[in-house]
Amino acid sequence: MARFRPVFVRSDTLRQAVLYMIGLLSGLERKNGETMEAAVPGARQRSVWDFLVRSPWLAELADRLRVFDALQQMGLADRRLNIVIDEVGWRKKGKQTVGVARQYLGCIGKVDNGQVAVTLHGCCTDGDLPLTGELYLNEAWAADTERREAARVPTTLKFRTKPQIALALIDRVLAWGLLLGWIHADAGYGDLGTIQALRERNLRCSIAVRANARVRLPGEEWIAAVPPPPYAGHGRPRVGQPAQPRRHLVGELHAIVPSTLWRDVPYRIGVNGHPLTAQFVALRAHLTSDHGEAETEELWLLLERPSAAPGTKQDLKQYVITGPDTMSVDELAQVAHGRPIIERNSYENAKQEAGLDEYQGRSWIGFHHHLAMVWFALTWLMLQRRPLPPPPLSTAFSSSDTPAPVPPPTEPPSFPASPVPLPLAAGTAVPVVVAIPTRSPLPLPRQLWESVQEVRRRLIEWFAGMRFREHLFAALGIARSAALL
């Protein structure tokens, strides 16, 4: 934390940051000011509240310095970083707590009272590097002036959808000077406006789209014009229908594409060491709006279905990829599945190991200070895993069964103004090298040390949660009364 002294200018603020980091990284079951006061020497509940709510340090500056420091330690400071747009939510109650509303929470898969934050993560070789994030306020919360003032929400902040927040976060990291590669996101961010905005920023994206999205295939015949019927002499004359392009629902293309065009492509190594394979077909298409008044430039539409007998519609997936028209199906499949599992790698660790959902305050600035400190803890944990013994040699596979090294990162290709229409992707196979991490056995002294730390952690939790001192004094008082009787 001493490396981030420009963020925590005052010495007492830096000291509180260190104590708060120790509390977040401890084994406490509940990581808030009350439990930290009982378990972390020097921490006080009031000081924790002042550090999060009243201290003037900037969360965005903390994110920027932390990200570049981590990239420099990993040797990725001069490379393009693939990022993932995602969101995290958790249950929360309290009408005055900032951002708490009835909304969809991905952690439980339904609508409930809670908070939701939109986040950006970098795809690194050592894990998922959290970049930055922002709390989502729904329309009712953003329009409630009284609650906004109580939570100290900035007056310049208006209601923004989650894709709009994601674009603002991307503009933020671009302003930092961060070099961005592929932008990955799920179907919640696969709308026409978001894809067009990313393309205007000259960014490559691989985003999932819903089955009800509409596309137009280049080169297809238009729907013929329908002339108006003859006027019957009474009433309003009917109008005809002009010629219009043929638009398809993305979900219907899975059944339209001939089965002979689907190809089995291995795209990732599974947890058991075997390659994961699915069937893919790639088409050039234009993503359009619901009524066809706007559309994107020509891009890739990648359809995916299981290699075995296709099951339900939930097994069908579709992606929009803004790559050059020379990409093969193998490359497109690997790009589409290049998005790491953020829910498991970052969000679960952030909640279980760093107390992401343990913030008990109500203010806007306090939440983002807590989020910045959680990202500090999560980044520190990721960097601490790097000195561990390396895993065994990686396992390589390719369509030609010939291992090959991963090509070095290159600059993003330039996009032609009018790409040549290509109905289907070429079938060039691209070798894939994927490391299978395995956990090596720890030496006996290390196991003993971890066992001692686990016993110490449990004693601290028991002492903090059971109020042992109060129980002891109560027992002494009862014993003294019994002796007097």
Side-chain angles (χ1 to χ4, degrees):
M1 297 302 295
R3 294 200 300 272
F4 306 103
R5 188 60 183 263
V7 179
F8 313 104
V9 180
R10 296 170 55 93
S11 58
D12 56 342
T13 306
L14 179 61
R15 179 175 177 274
Q16 291 301 325
V18 173
L19 294 177
Y20 197 72
M21 272 281 288
I22 294 174
L24 293 179
L25 294 170
S26 66
L28 294 172
E29 183 178 358
R30 300 282 296 178
K31 298 179 180 180
N32 50 52
E34 183 179 357
T35 57
M36 289 182 186
E37 180 178 0
V40 180
R44 296 291 182 268
Q45 185 174 359
R46 179 68 184 185
S47 300
V48 170
W49 184 86
D50 288 339
F51 170 72
L52 294 178
V53 179
R54 302 184 63 181
S55 295
W57 59 279
L58 300 177
E60 182 181 345
L61 177 61
D63 289 339
R64 179 167 64 89
L65 297 183
R66 171 185 54 80
V67 168
F68 281 99
D69 179 81
L71 292 176
Q72 185 175 6
Q73 293 190 51
M74 293 184 290
L76 302 175
D78 56 345
R79 298 186 182 182
R80 291 192 174 272
L81 186 66
N82 298 335
I83 67 172
V84 178
I85 303 172
D86 213 325
E87 61 188 64
V88 57
W90 52 86
R91 286 177 172 173
K92 199 79 171 179
K93 295 182 179 180
K95 294 183 179 180
Q96 300 302 321
T97 304
V98 61
V100 172
R102 287 193 61 82
Q103 52 193 331
Y104 178 79
L105 305 178
C107 58
I108 60 176
K110 63 179 182 180
V111 176
D112 201 351
N113 284 331
Q115 291 174 311
V116 175
V118 181
T119 61
L120 295 185
H121 297 259
C123 308
C124 304
T125 55
D126 299 297
D128 306 328
L129 175 64
L131 301 181
T132 187
E134 184 177 311
L135 184 67
Y136 169 71
L137 301 178
N138 64 2
E139 290 189 74
W141 233 104
D144 194 329
T145 306
E146 183 178 351
R147 287 196 297 180
R148 286 174 59 101
E149 292 178 355
R152 297 170 60 186
V153 178
T155 56
T156 58
L157 187 65
K158 306 301 180 182
F159 168 73
R160 292 183 296 180
T161 62
K162 294 176 183 178
Q164 290 173 341
I165 295 177
L167 291 173
L169 295 179
I170 290 177
D171 291 337
R172 178 186 300 179
V173 297
L174 287 175
W176 295 351
L178 199 63
L179 301 176
L180 301 185
W182 286 100
I183 312 296
H184 300 274
D186 58 19
Y189 300 86
D191 60 287
L192 178 66
T194 302
I195 296 174
Q196 285 182 328
L198 292 175
R199 190 63 193 89
E200 291 172 358
R201 291 163 174 80
N202 199 25
L203 295 175
R204 300 177 297 175
C205 63
S206 171
I207 301 180
V209 293
R210 294 188 173 95
N212 60 356
R214 295 184 178 272
V215 294
R216 180 179 67 85
L217 302 180
E220 250 189 340
E221 294 184 0
W222 282 33
I223 300 177
V226 179
Y231 183 59
H234 56 84
R236 180 181 299 176
R238 296 185 180 182
V239 296
Q241 185 176 2
Q244 58 183 343
R246 193 181 304 273
R247 296 183 296 118
H248 303 272
L249 291 175
V250 175
E252 297 176 350
L253 291 177
H254 291 270
I256 298 176
V257 175
S259 58
T260 55
L261 299 180
W262 292 88
R263 289 191 51 227
D264 289 328
V265 177
Y267 58 86
R268 187 186 296 167
I269 290 289
V271 293
N272 57 359
H274 299 290
L276 301 178
T277 305
Q279 289 187 348
F280 295 90
V281 63
L283 308 171
R284 298 294 285 178
H286 298 268
L287 185 67
T288 69
S289 58
D290 292 338
H291 302 288
E293 63 274 6
E295 65 177 26
T296 64
E297 62 182 11
E298 194 173 293
L299 41 73
W300 283 110
L301 174 65
L302 184 68
L303 306 179
E304 177 186 350
R305 70 181 186 184
S307 292
T312 61
K313 292 184 178 181
Q314 284 74 15
D315 297 330
L316 306 178
K317 300 177 183 178
Q318 44 277 329
Y319 308 89
V320 168
I321 302 176
T322 60
D325 57 0
T326 56
M327 295 182 70
S328 66
V329 179
D330 302 71
E331 292 175 314
L332 293 171
Q334 293 172 41
V335 168
H337 287 273
R339 173 178 178 239
I341 306 176
I342 299 297
E343 291 81 2
R344 182 181 63 193
N345 298 345
S346 288
Y347 292 154
E348 288 187 9
N349 290 338
K351 292 179 181 179
Q352 298 175 5
E353 304 294 339
L356 174 62
D357 53 345
E358 300 295 333
Y359 175 62
Q360 292 184 331
R362 296 180 176 181
S363 69
W364 172 271
I365 187 174
F367 172 84
H368 289 88
H369 280 174
H370 170 73
L371 184 63
M373 294 304 298
V374 170
W375 292 158
F376 267 120
L378 206 62
T379 304
W380 186 85
L381 291 174
M382 183 189 71
L383 295 176
Q384 292 304 307
R385 290 196 298 266
R386 300 178 69 246
L388 295 179
L393 295 176
S394 61
T395 301
F397 74 94
S398 68
S399 57
S400 59
D401 295 330
T402 304
V406 178
T410 58
E411 294 294 323
S414 58
F415 297 94
S418 300
V420 180
L422 185 63
L424 296 175
T428 306
V430 177
V432 183
V433 178
V434 181
I436 309 174
T438 59
R439 188 173 182 179
S440 57
L442 296 175
L444 183 60
R446 177 73 176 182
Q447 294 179 1
L448 293 176
W449 183 84
E450 288 191 352
S451 300
V452 172
Q453 295 300 318
E454 178 67 17
V455 172
R456 176 178 175 273
R457 181 183 68 83
R458 292 182 178 274
L459 287 176
I460 291 176
E461 290 182 359
W462 177 65
F463 185 80
M466 298 299 295
R467 302 295 184 183
F468 175 73
R469 292 173 293 180
E470 287 79 354
H471 288 225
L472 179 61
F473 292 148
L476 291 177
I478 294 174
R480 182 171 180 274
S481 301
L484 292 178
L485 293 176

